[in-house]
Every structure is written in C-alpha cells, then in structure tokens.
C-alpha cells in the first residue's frame, strides 16, 4: 500500500548509510556517523513527501517503474545489512564455543548459503532439466567465488586499505585443494562413464564433501582454533629467520 511505500522511501537513505558504515571506515568518526544518519533522514523525508504528493492510495505513482527499481535496490541493501549482522552473530557464537571463524564459515555459513540453491537445483532436476540443474550447481559457486571475492576485494581496496590484505592460511589451501580435486574428479568420472553417471557418481561427491569436513574438523580439534587461520607465509618467514639466526 501507499503507507508501506512511504515508510520505505523514508528509510531507504538510512539503509544505504547503514550498509556503507558496516565496513567500519576508519576515517568516519562518531560525529560524522550521526551527521550522515541525520542527513539520510532528511533526504528520506523529502523523498517520502514527493511520493505522497505524486501518488494516490488507489493508483501507483506516475514514475512507478523507477520506484520499483529503487525498491529492488533498497531490498538488496536490507538483505546485505541483515546478512552482515547475522555473520557477526555467527562470529560471536564461534568465539563463545571456541571455534575459529574459518571453520564456522566453511560449515555453518556455507550450509546456510547453499540451502536455497540446493532446493532449487533439486526441484529443477526432478522436473527433468538435468542439464540446467548441473549448470546451476557449477555456475552458482563460480559466481560466488569470482564475483563475490572480486567485488569484496575491490571494495576493500577502495574503502578500507589499498592493497587489501588477504592472508594465505591453511583454510584457503585446504579448500582450494578440495575444490580442484572435486572439479577434476567430476570431469574424469563423467568422461569415463560416457556422460552417463550413475549412483556411484553422487556417492563419490558426497564422500568427498564428508572427507573435507572431517579433515577440517580434525585440524580444528587437534590443531586448535588458530591453526586454520594462521598466516602460513608469516609463519614460514619467522621460521626461516629463526633458522638463520
């Protein structure tokens, strides 16, 4: 209704400010933060007033296409802000139970992110569109890996520090090794089965995933919470200096 549209117009600039400040910009102080939110509320009130004047409860505004596009962008900003807060909650839970952020991300967060994709891919496969389901299984993680890491690295260089630090830890090496092994196993198994993979194909992939989780769990339990997140390059440099001395 019109009332909900007015509320969205009022809060939209504040949501964008919230999304930007979630990065923890070092140059933005507390006074500037309050000023940014105050300015956002003023801009939101102006947008809500324009929307109230140009629309009626029984009919959409004249430029409803632009309003729909803006609503979509605001929805993405809301999802982003809520997702960041959920990640912070998950990080706090990991701190309480003594589990590293890497292990929580590779297990709990990864499962939560993939449940929707898994349900959609299963539904598509049951509908007989096996090729589409298989393509989505590869295209979705590829989008997350390339676009997600690329965009976050670009924003990190622009908003946080340039160059943006990315530590080479055991988590990255272990995940990358299993990802490469899984992709090679899929290609080899499909080719050897003449593009007709059976139950053994699905069983193999599930076993690879469980082996991956078991190895991470073993590293977490026997190596400690800092093993997966330790900077291997820094540790190797320190070890070389100790040996040289």
């Amino acid at each position: 209704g019109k009332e909900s549209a007015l509320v969205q117009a009022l809060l939209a600039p504040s949501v964008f400010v919230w999304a930007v400040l979630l990065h923890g910009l070092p140059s933005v102080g507390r006074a500037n933060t309050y000023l940014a939110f105050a300015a956002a509320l003023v801009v939101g009130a102006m947008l809500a007033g324009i929307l109230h004047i140009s629309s009626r409860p029984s009919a959409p505004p004249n430029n409803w296409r632009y309003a729909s596009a803006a609503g979509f962008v605001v929805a993405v900003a809301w999802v982003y802000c809520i997702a960041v807060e959920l990640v912070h909650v998950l990080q706090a839970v990991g701190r309480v139970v003594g589990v590293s952020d890497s292990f929580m991300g590779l297990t709990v967060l990864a499962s939560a992110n993939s449940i929707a994709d898994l349900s959609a891919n299963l539904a598509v496969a049951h509908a007989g569109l096996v090729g589409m389901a298989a393509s989505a299984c590869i295209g979705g993680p590829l989008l997350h890996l390339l676009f997600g890491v690329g965009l976050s690295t670009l924003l990190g260089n622009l908003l946080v520090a340039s160059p943006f630090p990315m530590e080479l830890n055991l988590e990255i090496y272990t995940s990358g090794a299993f990802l490469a092994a899984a992709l090679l196993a899929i290609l080899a198994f499909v080719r050897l089965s003449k593009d007709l993979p059976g139950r053994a194909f699905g069983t193999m992939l599930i076993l690879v995933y469980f082996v991956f989780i078991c190895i991470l769990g073993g590293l977490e339990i026997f190596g400690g919470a800092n093993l997966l997140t330790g900077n291997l390059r820094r540790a190797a440099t320190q070890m070389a200096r100790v040996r040289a001395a």
Side-chain angles (χ1 to χ4, degrees), residues 7-17 40 44 47 70 74 77-78:
V7 173
Q8 293 180 20
L10 176 63
L11 298 179
S14 300
V15 173
F16 282 113
V17 172
L47 293 176
V74 173
W78 272 110

Side-chain angles (χ1 to χ4, degrees), residues 71-137:
F72 175 77
V73 175
V74 173
V76 172
W78 272 110
V79 171
Y80 171 77
C81 294
I82 295 174
V84 171
E85 295 299 335
L86 289 177
V87 170
H88 291 165
V89 172
L90 185 63
Q91 188 177 20
V93 173
R95 291 286 191 275
V96 171
V97 300
V99 179
S100 66
D101 297 339
S102 300
F103 187 78
M104 295 291 287
L106 290 170
T107 54
V108 180
L109 185 59
S111 301
N113 287 338
S114 303
I115 287 178
D117 295 338
L118 176 63
S119 302
N121 294 336
L122 288 176
V124 172
H126 282 298
L129 302 174
V130 181
M132 182 182 295
S135 301
C137 289

Side-chain angles (χ1 to χ4, degrees), residues 59-195:
N62 296 329
N63 298 324
W64 61 271
R65 292 183 177 86
Y66 300 103
S68 300
F72 175 77
V73 175
V74 173
V76 172
W78 272 110
V79 171
Y80 171 77
C81 294
I82 295 174
V84 171
E85 295 299 335
L86 289 177
V87 170
H88 291 165
V89 172
L90 185 63
Q91 188 177 20
V93 173
R95 291 286 191 275
V96 171
V97 300
V99 179
S100 66
D101 297 339
S102 300
F103 187 78
M104 295 291 287
L106 290 170
T107 54
V108 180
L109 185 59
S111 301
N113 287 338
S114 303
I115 287 178
D117 295 338
L118 176 63
S119 302
N121 294 336
L122 288 176
V124 172
H126 282 298
L129 302 174
V130 181
M132 182 182 295
S135 301
C137 289
I138 298 176
L142 189 64
L143 173 65
H144 296 162
L145 181 63
L146 299 181
F147 187 79
V149 176
L151 182 61
S152 59
T153 305
L154 178 62
L155 292 177
N157 278 272
L158 293 176
L159 301 177
V160 180
S162 182
F164 187 72
M166 180 177 291
E167 295 186 348
L168 297 177
N169 51 42
L170 189 59
E171 170 212 352
I172 297 178
Y173 286 116
T174 305
S175 305
F178 268 90
L179 178 61
L183 293 176
L184 292 175
I186 290 173
L187 294 176
F189 204 99
V190 171
R191 293 300 299 172
L192 291 176
S193 61
K194 297 180 180 180
D195 298 335

